[in-house]
Structures are given as structure tokens and as C-alpha cells.
Amino acid sequence: MTNTARKQYDALALLSGGLDSILAMRTIMDQGLSVLGLHFVTPFFGKPHLIPFWKEHYGIEVIEVDIRSKYVDMMLDGPSQGYGKWLNPCIDCKITMLTHARELMKQYGAKFIISGEVIGQRPMSQREDALNLITKRADVRDVLIRPLCAKKQPITPMEESGLVDRERLHDWYGRGRKPQMALAKEYGFTEIPTPAGGCCLTEAQGAARFVKLLQEKERPSPNDFSLARVGRQYWAGNHWLTFGRTADDNAQIGACIEPTDYVLKTQGFPGPLAVCRPLDGPWEPEVIKDAAALVASYSTKARRHFDETGELIVIRVKQGDSVEDISVAPSRDNALPWAEPMAEIVKGWKKDQLEIDG
Ligand code: SF4
């Protein structure tokens, strides 16, 4: 750590990478104020690999802010305002991000925080009462400005003091996207990002994967959630198997491997990288073999070779420093009832949570 002074900014902005967050930031920058975008990363959302593109294309400054642990704790403790349609705790999500942004203000010398919400744009988190609740619970009433709908909101201390010119803020309301598209055109953006996007808590499949994990492990770690997000997910009781569908999936799975995981790889044929994560002690050899047979069935070339020659397929199983090769017949008709989590489990789980919370 050097003693180099950290660059100071007038404001910090919540920067999801969606169009609204970019426009909110640029609206304040237009007033000659310096703004640093905070791109929050959790196991459920965050695209830090796009930061260089955003900087270049949208002319903004952005840093990655890792809040994996804090966010997972919020999810595990139960979001105070509940969930949206699937597993998205949008109100508590915003509270978590704003609280964190407030904590960062001092080190960046920032005088206020920017958020790109528009009143009435989203059913759960952008109703007026929800916006007020978020502001209050995050304790940012005196420092938060929402430039896209500011003129529909009470005047803030930043406008009162003249730091921000209220006349140059917007009065947008509701779900329409016309003003956003017009302003994006004015700025000369040729790539228009989706309004928000990329949060797998709002998707049926994502929610089912995380609920299954929550049913099988009392307090999953951020890394567990990261693994649950990627590739194909199969469960047989509390036996959890993940494997990739693409090279990118395989790379993400590789980044999640822990020393106690069994890592499976087809030998001699291209095939997915697979991880068996033990939640309740070591797996029996026959369970690993059953998982390996399923994994081998997703290697087209290995399956064809077996069908044509009857020769078993070798799967290398690594756990920490130990390595063992096992031979299997590729199969999706397995001894264990491997199945992908279904969206139906989400509703029941959410109902149970409400009953537990009383
Ligand atoms: S959609 Fe996802 S990222 Fe956006 S507020 Fe809701 S939970 Fe947070």
C-alpha cells in the first residue's frame, strides 16, 4: 500500500452499466462536477469485464466494488422488504448498495451520491414509496440525488446549496424509454445498454438454482452462489454437480474450485469441466462414478466412441492434490436421480420463509 493520495470526486454514482445509471452520471458530469461510478459485484450480478468498454464508450470513470460477502449476508439473513417475482430482493439490494456507497464517500472526498432510478419505472423498487423507504433505510436522505427524476422529487441539500443546478436535472417518470433514448442519442452513444439487466435473481432458472442450494446448505458462501450460477446444475439429494456448457462456463467453474471439491474431466475427448461439491462429508466412490457417467454423456465425441466401440471413457477425478482415473459408460440413465432444479421450488420456499419469519 502506497501513501499516494486517492483521487477525489464531487460525487459517487451507483453504476450498474444499464443505460439509466450511465445517463444519471453524465447528467451530473455535464454540470462540471467530477463523478466516480461504483460498479457493484455480487455472485448474482456484476459485469466488471465491461468496465474498460464503459469508460471508453461512455466517457465515465468506473471502479469495481466487491460486496459479495455483505450481499450474501443480506440474502441469508432475509431481506427486510421481501422478494420480487423470483429471488430479487430489490429494495434491500438498493439499500445495501447505497449504504456501501455512503461508507465510501469519505475516502473519495465525495459530497453526494447519484442513483439512476426513475419513479414508477419498475414495479418493486422504483415506486415512490419504495424510493423513500430506500433513502431512509440507507440513511442517505441528505446526500442522495436521482438526476433522472429529481424534478419530481423534493429538492435536495445539494440543489439548495447550489452545488447542483436543479434546472439542469430531469423530470422523467414511468416506464417510457423515449427521454432516455433521446438523451443517449444526444450524447452520441452508438451502443445502448439494456435498462438494467444481468441480475440472475430476477430469472426463474437463477432463482431455482439458488433456492435449491439454500435448501441443502444452511449458510452457503459467496463462492457457493457463484458456482450455482454457472453452467448446468444437477442435484441428487444433497449431492451437487456443476458442469460447463461453454468454454466461458468452464473458466468460471475453474475459478470457483475449492480444495475439497471433486473436479472431473473427460480424458482423450473434449468434454465439460465438472465440479462435485461435497456439502456433507466425502462422496462414496459409486456416487462419484455415477456423476462421472452423467458428465461423460455430455461429451458428444466420448459418447459416440462408447456407442461405436463399447470402450469405457476415462474421467480424471482430482481432489486437492489427489488424482484418480476412473472408467465409466456415458449415461443419463443413472443410479442416482440427478435433476436440474425446477422453478416450482421457488414459490414454496419463499412461502416457508415468510412463515418462519412469522
Ligand atoms: S434487479 Fe437485481 S440488481 Fe437490480 S435492484 Fe433488483 S436485486 Fe438488485
Side-chain angles (χ1 to χ4, degrees):
M1 186 84 181
T2 67
N3 287 326
T4 315
R6 204 182 284 274
K7 189 170 170 194
Q8 305 288 285
Y9 295 84
D10 293 308
L12 300 180
L14 268 49
L15 198 280
S16 67
L19 181 59
D20 291 6
S21 66
I22 295 165
L23 294 176
M25 200 169 157
R26 287 288 304 259
T27 296
I28 294 297
M29 289 165 64
D30 282 351
Q31 301 197 10
L33 296 164
S34 58
V35 184
L36 177 65
L38 308 177
H39 182 65
F40 290 101
V41 175
T42 74
F44 314 104
F45 56 84
K47 298 175 181 166
H49 59 286
L50 291 179
I51 289 177
F53 171 76
W54 294 333
K55 286 179 167 179
E56 162 127 9
H57 192 73
Y58 303 113
I60 53 180
E61 286 191 58
V62 189
I63 56 164
E64 174 183 347
V65 182
D66 185 334
I67 52 165
R68 286 177 172 87
S69 295
K70 191 183 247 190
Y71 201 92
V72 165
D73 282 346
M74 178 272 286
M75 293 286 285
L76 296 179
D77 295 344
S80 65
Q81 303 304 312
Y83 302 96
K85 186 171 179 201
W86 292 104
L87 209 60
N88 46 313
C90 292
I91 294 176
D92 287 82
C93 174
K94 288 279 168 68
I95 294 169
T96 304
M97 290 192 280
L98 283 169
T99 307
H100 199 87
R102 175 148 208 162
E103 285 165 17
L104 292 180
M105 281 175 70
K106 197 169 171 204
Q107 70 190 76
Y108 288 101
K111 300 173 212 58
F112 64 103
I113 300 170
I114 298 164
S115 179
E117 293 129 323
V118 172
I119 307 170
Q121 190 175 79
R122 282 165 204 271
M124 184 179 181
S125 60
Q126 298 195 17
R127 291 187 323 254
E128 190 157 9
D129 56 339
L131 291 186
N132 289 336
L133 178 70
I134 290 166
T135 310
K136 189 166 168 227
R137 293 288 296 274
D139 192 21
V140 288
R141 194 178 289 281
D142 54 335
V143 291
L144 178 66
I145 195 158
R146 297 184 168 104
L148 304 186
C149 62
K151 285 172 156 173
K152 292 259 185 246
Q153 297 242 289
I155 192 161
T156 62
M158 289 69 73
E159 295 156 273
E160 257 171 358
S161 70
L163 177 63
V164 174
D165 181 357
R166 184 171 174 86
E167 283 316 302
R168 295 172 69 192
L169 302 177
H170 304 291
D171 60 355
W172 301 348
Y173 182 88
R175 290 170 171 257
R177 304 290 301 158
K178 274 193 187 153
Q180 280 91 332
M181 299 314 286
L183 190 58
K185 197 171 167 202
E186 216 174 280
Y187 285 133
F189 297 164
T190 51
E191 301 264 348
I192 307 293
T194 51
C199 172
C200 56
L201 294 168
T202 59
E203 297 161 5
Q205 193 199 41
R209 290 161 169 237
F210 302 133
V211 162
K212 179 63 186 167
L213 175 60
L214 287 160
Q215 285 175 332
E216 299 299 341
K217 187 170 180 180
E218 203 181 329
R219 284 192 80 86
S221 68
N223 189 34
D224 289 332
F225 283 111
S226 294
L227 184 64
R229 182 182 176 176
V230 63
R232 285 184 195 280
Q233 299 283 313
Y234 276 94
W235 289 81
N238 70 354
H239 293 104
W240 176 18
L241 166 65
T242 302
F243 55 91
R245 286 174 289 208
T246 62
D248 184 47
D249 283 353
N250 288 345
Q252 288 186 54
I253 290 169
C256 291
I257 292 170
E258 295 183 351
T260 51
D261 290 338
Y262 302 97
V263 182
L264 276 49
K265 191 82 183 82
T266 311
Q267 301 298 291
F269 303 96
L273 178 66
V275 164
C276 306
R277 177 154 296 175
L279 301 183
D280 187 21
W283 285 19
E284 297 295 333
E286 56 271 27
V287 175
I288 296 175
K289 201 165 180 180
D290 203 47
L294 179 61
V295 172
S297 79
Y298 281 90
S299 165
T300 311
K301 289 193 173 156
R303 208 177 55 230
R304 193 178 305 138
H305 180 80
F306 174 75
D307 289 345
E308 287 170 2
T309 67
E311 287 176 19
L312 296 179
I313 303 303
V314 177
I315 302 281
R316 180 155 293 167
V317 183
K318 287 189 187 176
Q319 188 190 34
D321 294 333
S322 101
V323 181
E324 189 188 351
D325 286 346
I326 58 174
S327 299
V328 296
S331 174
R332 293 187 194 175
D333 182 17
N334 309 90
L336 271 75
W338 296 104
E340 296 186 84
M342 303 295 284
E344 289 74 56
I345 63 174
V346 178
K347 220 173 174 183
W349 182 84
K350 280 162 69 175
K351 192 164 166 274
D352 290 349
Q353 295 306 300
L354 279 176
E355 280 165 12
I356 292 166
D357 291 347

